[in-house]
Amino acid sequence: MKLKHIFMLLGAVLLGLTACSKDTPNTPNLSKTLAGTEWECIVQGAEQENGEKDVFTLLLRFVDDTKFTTLGIQKTFKNGIVVNTEEPSTSEGTYTYINKVATLTTQTIRNGKTETEVLTLTMDASNMKFTGTVTDEDGSQTLIFVRKK
């Protein structure tokens, strides 16, 4: 009778251990790879004279060790209510990730010419935030990407 109780206890322990291992998230080691992670950046424009405010959300997804995709959505708010949503824009490109610095490269066509755009993002110590700066004809803007869970 004691042997039967020991096997039942052993079986319960093994089932408990396998159930716990399934709950453990499959989180990549961010010091080595970004593959499979998603990041979000929200940029809010200044309120306009008519009370409207543009909010741009950029979703960044690292597909594998060399490719990324982005999805950008712009919404216009007035008094806290969405009054307009622009058609989502998507792009893709390649990246390198070395020593917590990701260098993203995309190719776009402007005025019939192919232009290469590069964005450098630096990871913070907690591995939960990327920071980079974008410069265009309107000036420069700091982008902060926060890791999506």
Side-chain angles (χ1 to χ4, degrees):
M1 193 72 157
K2 286 185 180 183
L3 189 59
K4 182 178 179 183
H5 288 283
I6 291 172
F7 282 124
M8 285 178 27
L9 181 62
L10 183 63
V13 169
L14 288 174
L15 283 175
L17 289 175
T18 58
C20 290
S21 68
K22 290 179 184 173
D23 293 340
T24 305
N26 185 10
T27 305
N29 180 352
L30 292 179
S31 65
K32 297 179 181 177
T33 184
L34 296 172
T37 63
E38 292 185 7
W39 304 79
E40 179 179 59
C41 177
I42 299 174
V43 179
Q44 297 189 21
E47 190 168 319
Q48 301 167 13
E49 289 180 16
N50 62 2
E52 292 183 351
K53 184 180 205 178
D54 291 330
V55 177
F56 187 76
T57 304
L58 184 62
L59 301 173
L60 172 62
R61 180 172 180 264
F62 293 97
V63 179
D64 58 25
D65 287 332
T66 60
K67 295 179 186 171
F68 73 91
T69 61
T70 61
L71 173 67
I73 303 168
Q74 181 175 332
K75 294 183 180 183
T76 303
F77 289 84
K78 186 171 185 175
N79 301 324
I81 299 171
V82 177
V83 293
N84 187 31
T85 301
E86 297 285 326
E87 193 69 27
S89 62
T90 61
S91 67
E92 57 186 37
T94 59
Y95 76 97
T96 59
Y97 183 60
I98 302 168
N99 296 327
K100 293 193 171 197
V101 175
T103 304
L104 286 64
T105 306
T106 60
Q107 305 242 330
T108 57
I109 298 176
R110 285 199 184 106
N111 301 326
K113 295 182 180 179
T114 302
E115 295 181 12
T116 300
E117 296 178 346
V118 177
L119 174 62
T120 301
L121 298 173
T122 304
M123 177 83 69
D124 70 336
S126 69
N127 292 336
M128 296 305 287
K129 184 170 60 171
F130 266 122
T131 305
T133 302
V134 176
T135 304
D136 61 12
E137 62 272 355
D138 297 331
S140 64
Q141 171 132 17
T142 300
L143 300 178
I144 299 173
F145 287 87
V146 179
R147 179 132 187 236
K148 291 188 71 165
K149 302 220 178 203

